[in-house]
């Protein structure tokens, strides 16, 4: 065989291997997508916004009641949840007779939050009309607000002419795509109010009519009685939709315990039960085959500029995924949380007292003075003379140290008593590694022999360091302080022979050290 023929033969063989699915970058890519009955669907990584798998994702479809997520967003962003809204007969007269309703009665008043529960749990069209007219002033104005917000969310292939999702009225001008509805769902599920409502299997209207209540059951069967693979993920809600033109629709959100979150915006062309079955199939396929590329993240930082930094510390174990999936970046942190997180990030063993108190900027300054003992010239200190003039000399020097290390987030204020938020803590962590030194190590630490008749543990250590003893993780005796002569003494109950006693010494600015002594 000639050289050229051999090259051609090799090339053809490679093409056959590629077409057969043997040569793929991702082993899962060789597995065919499941067959489902849909006009269109989009499966999206909710944290990253990347589309994982899809079918006709840009095809124009009727969105039906899935747009009530947008109705809720516009309402929440333009009105107080606690505003009481009285149901007007004139508004109820505008509700289409074919629309699902909660059966609200004129003259009764509900908060916006109560109406949102009716809107999103039961898909109540009367709640949608009441919300639209109250928040927008008029239904038409509210719809304009919806379309403006949709464009801001990147829903460029969508338009709506009502807040309900109706598509059966004369000259209906309402359309979207499964890709746009996935974008809408992704944003909606960062809102705590929406997120809390859409996971409810039912909602009770307490003041429904003449002192009686009324229970509305969720239109999303995943939340009620549909069985699915809960070992892989949990469906945490989102929004259904049904009409003759749209078919059976549901934009479902599923989450696993590691913070991976997936949206399946599905517009079916079969039965309602088939829709739930198909969505379960697509979600199961996605979590089974694309788990390694789904982004682990907190839902409330989805659009945050600090997302990459926070996710870095989540991936390396410095931060831990919460059961709710929320980071809560504005929450003030305690000294214990700050120091524990810092120790994980820097691989140190810093010890701090008063761990339950909220940590202030001055507390942080004191900690990093221990991490790095650099001194600064009077010229540098003069830069901060007026800003820190109310502090004593020690606190002043510590604050100068903190700012000169550039550990703080950009344009951070100078209030020494300001409490640190969780997001600020992470931004500080990100600036620490190259600007701090390792904690000091104890040059002196001894434990004298312990006998089964002993009631005292003695030894030597660094002056003012703290020493404690424990057996099987439980402390025995009290924590003591090393005296001015470098000696310590811990009173303990007698221990049996061969018992292992762990003696630990610690001090601010030092890496704690332990020794294990076997009772003789």
């Amino acid at each position: 065989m000639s050289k050229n023929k051999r090259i051609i033969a090799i090339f053809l063989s490679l093409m056959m291997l590629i077409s057969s699915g043997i040569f793929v970058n991702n082993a899962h890519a060789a597995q065919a997508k499941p067959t489902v009955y849909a006009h269109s669907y989009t499966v999206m990584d909710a944290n990253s916004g990347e589309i994982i798998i899809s079918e006709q994702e840009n095809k124009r479809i009727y969105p039906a009641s899935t747009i009530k997520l947008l109705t809720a967003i516009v309402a929440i962003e333009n009105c107080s949840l606690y505003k009481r809204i009285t149901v007007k007969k004139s508004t109820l007269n505008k509700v289409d007779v074919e629309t699902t309703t909660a059966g609200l009665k004129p003259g009764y008043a509900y908060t916006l939050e109560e109406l949102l529960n009716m809107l999103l749990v039961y898909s109540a069209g009367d709640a949608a009309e009441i919300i639209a007219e109250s928040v927008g002033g008029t239904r038409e104005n509210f719809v304009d607000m919806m379309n403006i917000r949709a464009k801001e969310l990147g829903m460029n292939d969508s338009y709506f002419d009502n807040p309900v999702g109706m598509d059966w009225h004369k000259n209906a001008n309402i359309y979207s795509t499964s890709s746009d509805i996935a974008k809408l769902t992704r944003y909606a599920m960062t809102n705590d109010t929406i997120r809390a409502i859409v996971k409810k299997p039912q909602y009770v209207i307490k003041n429904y009519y003449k002192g009686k209540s009324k229970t509305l059951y969720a239109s999303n069967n995943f939340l009620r009685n549909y069985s699915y693979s809960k070992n892989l993920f949990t469906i945490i809600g989102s929004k259904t939709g049904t009409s003759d033109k749209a078919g059976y629709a549901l934009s479902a959100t599923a989450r696993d315990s590691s913070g991976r979150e997936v949206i399946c915006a599905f517009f079916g062309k079969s039965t309602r039960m088939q829709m739930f079955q198909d969505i379960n199939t697509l979600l199961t396929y996605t979590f089974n085959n694309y788990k390694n590329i789904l982004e682990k993240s907190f839902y409330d930082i989805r659009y945050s500029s600090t997302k990459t930094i926070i996710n870095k510390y989540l991936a390396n174990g410095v931060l831990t995924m919460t059961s709710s999936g929320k980071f809560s970046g504005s929450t003030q942190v305690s000294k214990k949380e700050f120091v524990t997180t810092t120790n994980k990030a820097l691989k140190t063993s810093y010890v701090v007292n008063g761990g339950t108190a909220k940590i202030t900027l001055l507390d942080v300054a004191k900690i990093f003075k221990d991490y790095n003992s650099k001194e600064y010239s009077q010229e540098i200190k003069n830069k901060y003379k007026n800003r820190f003039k109310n502090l004593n000399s020690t606190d002043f020097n510590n604050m100068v140290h903190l700012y000169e290390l550039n550990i703080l987030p950009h344009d951070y204020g100078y209030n020494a008593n300001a409490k640190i938020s969780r997001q600020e803590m992470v931004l500080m962590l990100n600036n620490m590694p190259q600007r701090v030194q390792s904690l000091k190590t104890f040059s002196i630490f001894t434990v004298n022999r312990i006998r089964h008749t002993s009631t005292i543990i003695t030894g030597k250590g660094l002056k003012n360091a703290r020493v404690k003893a424990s057996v099987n993780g439980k402390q025995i005796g009290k924590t003591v302080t090393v005296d001015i002569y470098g000696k310590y003494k811990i009173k303990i109950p007698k221990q049996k022979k061969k018992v292992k006693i762990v003696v630990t010494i610690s001090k601010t600015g030092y890496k704690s050290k332990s020794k294990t002594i076997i009772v003789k």
Side-chain angles (χ1 to χ4, degrees):
M1 184 182 291
S2 68
K3 183 177 180 180
N4 286 341
K5 288 183 178 180
R6 283 199 300 272
I7 292 173
I8 291 171
I10 293 170
F11 176 76
L12 290 173
S13 298
L14 287 171
M15 291 302 293
M16 290 176 67
L17 288 170
I18 291 170
S19 65
S20 68
I22 295 174
F23 274 124
V24 288
N25 291 328
N26 187 329
H28 301 306
Q31 299 182 20
K33 288 189 299 184
T35 298
V36 294
Y37 300 91
H39 300 292
S40 168
Y41 73 80
T42 296
V43 177
M44 176 184 284
D45 182 335
N47 290 321
S48 70
E50 296 296 319
I51 294 178
I52 306 301
I53 55 172
S54 62
E55 195 72 47
Q56 299 275 42
E57 71 272 17
N58 295 318
K59 175 184 177 182
R60 184 172 289 188
I61 47 89
Y62 291 97
S65 289
T66 60
I67 71 156
K68 288 190 174 90
L69 285 172
L70 183 58
T71 303
I73 288 168
V74 172
I76 290 169
E77 293 179 346
N78 291 277
C79 184
S80 167
L81 290 172
Y82 308 108
K83 178 183 178 181
R84 293 193 66 77
I85 301 171
T86 300
V87 179
K88 299 177 181 178
K89 186 175 181 180
S90 59
T91 306
L92 294 178
N93 289 339
K94 298 173 187 176
V95 179
D96 192 281
V97 293
E98 294 188 46
T99 300
T100 300
T101 70
L104 297 176
K105 311 298 182 185
Y108 286 81
Y110 304 96
T111 64
L112 174 62
E113 187 171 15
E114 289 173 321
L115 289 167
L116 288 170
N117 273 273
M118 303 175 207
L119 176 82
L120 297 176
V121 174
Y122 190 64
S123 200
D126 46 357
E129 296 287 6
I130 294 164
I131 289 169
E133 196 166 277
S134 176
V135 176
T138 65
R139 182 183 198 255
E140 292 71 26
N141 188 48
F142 187 85
V143 170
D144 287 342
M145 294 164 69
M146 289 175 64
N147 285 307
I148 290 170
R149 196 68 181 101
K151 290 295 182 287
E152 292 171 346
L153 295 176
M155 300 172 65
N156 297 319
D157 297 312
S158 300
Y159 185 82
F160 313 107
D161 65 1
N162 70 87
V164 179
M166 292 187 303
D167 54 30
W168 52 86
H169 53 295
K170 187 177 180 181
N171 300 321
N173 189 15
I174 178 171
Y175 58 85
S176 190
T177 65
S178 65
S179 175
D180 273 5
I181 296 301
K183 292 176 185 176
L184 170 63
T185 307
R186 181 178 183 239
Y187 178 78
M189 292 301 282
T190 64
N191 183 281
D192 287 339
T193 299
I194 292 176
R195 200 174 176 95
I197 292 174
V198 297
K199 69 179 181 181
K200 295 179 181 179
Q202 61 189 49
Y203 177 71
V204 178
I205 305 175
K206 293 180 180 179
N207 182 29
Y208 173 63
Y209 185 58
K210 294 184 177 181
K212 294 182 179 180
S213 63
K214 182 178 182 178
T215 301
L216 304 177
Y217 293 98
S219 54
N220 183 353
N221 280 5
F222 281 119
L223 305 176
R224 293 173 58 199
N225 50 26
Y226 187 88
S227 179
Y228 63 92
S229 310
K230 293 183 181 179
N231 60 314
L232 277 178
F233 56 83
T234 300
I235 293 178
I236 57 174
S238 292
K239 190 67 192 75
T240 57
T242 306
S243 74
D244 289 342
K245 292 179 180 178
Y248 292 101
L250 169 59
S251 188
T253 304
R255 179 179 181 271
D256 73 6
S257 58
S258 296
R260 302 178 185 90
E261 202 159 298
V262 174
I263 293 163
C264 180
F266 187 92
F267 294 84
K269 58 181 181 181
S270 183
T271 65
R272 177 178 171 82
M273 187 53 64
Q274 184 66 50
M275 174 191 72
F276 288 111
Q277 182 178 323
D278 285 345
I279 291 174
N280 184 31
T281 298
L282 290 171
L283 288 173
T284 300
Y285 171 82
T286 301
F287 277 97
N288 271 331
N289 292 280
Y290 295 92
K291 193 171 185 176
N292 292 335
I293 68 169
L294 294 174
E295 186 177 277
K296 296 180 184 178
S297 188
F298 301 96
Y299 73 81
D300 56 332
I301 64 165
R302 213 163 268 174
Y303 299 92
S304 170
S305 60
T306 58
K307 176 183 173 183
T308 301
I309 296 172
I310 294 170
N311 282 350
K312 175 179 73 174
Y313 288 110
L314 177 63
N316 64 18
V318 172
L319 297 175
T320 303
M321 176 52 59
T322 60
S323 59
S324 67
K326 187 175 183 180
F327 178 63
S328 302
S330 61
T331 301
Q332 295 173 346
V333 298
S334 65
K335 290 182 181 180
K336 180 179 179 181
E337 181 179 355
F338 188 94
V339 171
T340 299
T341 309
T342 302
N343 283 339
K344 286 182 180 179
L346 301 182
K347 296 180 173 60
T348 52
S349 303
Y350 193 91
V351 178
V352 68
N353 296 322
T356 57
K358 301 300 182 185
I359 195 166
T360 66
L361 196 58
L362 184 55
D363 292 327
V364 174
K366 290 175 181 177
I367 289 173
F368 285 99
K369 183 63 175 177
D370 290 329
Y371 272 113
N372 190 313
S373 57
K374 182 178 179 181
E375 294 296 329
Y376 298 98
S377 67
Q378 191 58 46
E379 182 181 358
I380 289 176
K381 291 180 180 180
N382 285 341
K383 291 194 304 182
Y384 304 95
K385 190 172 182 179
N386 292 327
R387 291 174 176 140
F388 303 144
K389 60 184 177 182
N390 295 323
L391 300 179
N392 62 44
S393 58
T394 300
D395 289 346
F396 174 88
N397 290 334
N398 289 340
M399 288 294 289
V400 170
H401 184 73
L402 185 64
Y403 278 89
E404 284 298 309
L405 281 177
N406 293 317
I407 283 174
L408 300 181
H410 184 61
D411 292 335
Y412 200 86
Y414 286 90
N415 182 1
N417 295 314
K419 296 190 171 57
I420 307 301
S421 71
R422 187 165 286 126
Q423 177 163 292
E424 290 164 342
M425 173 185 72
V426 173
L427 292 174
M428 290 179 191
L429 288 178
N430 200 51
N431 291 334
M432 290 176 195
Q434 297 177 352
R435 295 181 173 88
V436 301
Q437 299 170 351
S438 298
L439 293 176
K440 303 169 192 173
T441 57
F442 288 101
S443 57
I444 302 173
F445 178 43
T446 64
V447 183
N448 295 327
R449 181 181 296 184
I450 305 173
R451 298 183 180 276
H452 67 282
T453 55
S454 300
T455 56
I456 294 175
I457 298 175
T458 59
K460 294 182 179 181
L462 188 67
K463 184 178 72 172
N464 294 328
R466 295 170 66 79
V467 186
K468 65 179 181 179
S470 60
V471 174
N472 294 326
K474 185 177 181 180
Q475 185 170 344
I476 57 172
K478 295 182 178 180
T479 301
V480 300
T481 301
V482 180
D483 63 24
I484 59 173
Y485 304 105
K487 296 180 180 180
Y488 66 86
K489 184 186 296 184
I490 306 175
K491 292 182 180 180
I492 63 167
K494 293 179 181 179
Q495 302 294 314
K496 295 180 180 180
K497 290 183 178 181
K498 297 185 179 180
V499 167
K500 294 180 180 179
I501 299 179
V502 178
V503 184
T504 303
I505 187 169
S506 60
K507 186 180 180 181
T508 298
Y510 285 77
K511 186 175 182 179
S512 61
K513 188 174 183 179
S514 297
K515 288 192 175 185
T516 301
I517 307 297
I518 299 176
V519 178
K520 301 295 184 181

